[in-house]
Amino acid sequence: MKVILLQELKGKGGEGDVVEVNPGFANNYLYPQKIAIPATKGNLKQLEQRKHNIKLREETRIGGAEEFKKAIEGNVVKVVAKVGEEGQLFGSVTSVMIADAIKESLGLDVDKKRIDLKAPIKTAGEHEVTISLYRDIKTTLKLFVGGAEDEIPSEEAAAAVEAADDAEAREELKAVEDAIVEEAAASIEDADAAGDAQAASEAAETAAEFVEAEDKQ
């Protein structure tokens, strides 16, 4: 059935939109909560008369959401939680905790229902959450989850950690390459001892191809 929205309905639209919904959803939730009214001829006629004012209100809401988005983007908000061994949390981070952290850190009020947690946050460290501001306007917020005394890592510290991880990966790759080359050398030596020139050549080519492929990754 079709209804006229009196306010935003997440995933459906905003004030003045005529949308299709399940009759049970409309009767049991939208109408009692004054989120929508039936799309009758009379209500549709009144809607036409109110469209100008609705447009002005929508422009204000959209402008406010865009400003909020600018205020959020680029910030890292700390969420204080109880951290156990190996960074595991006692419990998980909730949308209420995130909303409180945003208020304390940035002075911005966020409705907890607009915070999209795709999965429970149960580990310390950096995480990202999406905040649905209005209609299709969304922003991504970076969170740092840790104990009360933990500091948010600086950009320099984060870059150092990333560089260390890259260095460790390169060392592991070098070790694999050395092992392959060593094994190939032994195969070539065995082939030469047996007088098998073709086997020695194939072993050398295989080793070279493997090392080249690993270097490209």
Side-chain angles (χ1 to χ4, degrees):
M1 66 180 296
K2 290 184 177 181
V3 300
I4 302 171
L5 296 179
L6 301 178
Q7 57 181 275
E8 182 193 14
L9 179 62
K10 190 175 178 180
K12 285 289 187 178
E15 183 184 4
D17 288 347
V18 179
V19 300
E20 190 82 29
V21 297
N22 183 282
F25 182 52
N27 292 322
N28 298 323
Y29 179 70
L30 298 181
Y31 298 161
Q33 297 296 322
K34 301 187 185 314
I35 296 174
I37 56 176
T40 62
K41 288 183 178 180
N43 287 337
L44 288 171
K45 186 176 181 179
Q46 289 183 10
L47 174 63
E48 287 297 322
Q49 298 171 351
R50 295 189 295 114
K51 273 192 172 180
H52 177 70
N53 290 334
I54 290 174
K55 181 181 178 182
L56 294 178
R57 286 196 291 271
E58 280 295 281
E59 290 175 351
T60 299
R61 292 174 185 131
I62 291 172
E66 292 289 358
E67 288 298 318
F68 197 102
K69 181 177 180 178
K70 291 178 182 178
I72 284 281
E73 288 181 336
N75 288 293
V76 180
V77 172
K78 179 180 177 180
V79 178
V80 177
K82 293 183 179 180
V83 184
E85 295 181 358
E86 299 182 357
Q88 292 296 314
L89 304 183
F90 293 99
S92 61
V93 174
T94 66
S95 56
V96 173
M97 294 168 65
I98 296 172
D100 289 344
I102 294 173
K103 176 65 174 178
E104 181 178 350
S105 178
L106 304 177
L108 301 173
D109 290 310
V110 179
D111 185 346
K112 66 178 183 179
K113 295 178 182 178
R114 295 189 176 276
I115 299 173
D116 298 330
L117 285 174
K118 304 300 182 184
I121 297 176
K122 296 186 176 182
T123 57
E126 292 188 355
H127 300 270
E128 287 188 349
V129 295
T130 299
I131 302 176
S132 299
L133 300 174
Y134 187 69
R135 289 186 177 261
D136 60 349
I137 302 174
K138 299 181 179 181
T139 186
T140 300
L141 176 67
K142 292 183 179 180
L143 303 178
F144 174 72
V145 181
E149 298 180 356
D150 293 333
E151 296 288 339
I152 297 177
S154 63
E155 292 185 6
E156 292 79 4
V161 171
E162 184 176 351
D165 290 340
D166 289 344
E168 183 178 353
R170 287 195 296 271
E171 288 181 5
E172 292 178 355
L173 178 59
K174 182 65 167 56
V176 171
E177 290 178 353
D178 289 346
I180 293 297
V181 171
E182 185 177 343
E183 182 178 347
S187 297
I188 293 170
E189 185 177 345
D190 291 342
D192 285 342
D196 191 343
Q198 183 178 355
S201 177
E202 290 177 353
E205 289 179 2
T206 299
E209 290 173 358
F210 182 87
V211 170
E212 182 180 358
E214 289 295 315
D215 286 341
K216 291 180 180 179
Q217 293 183 358

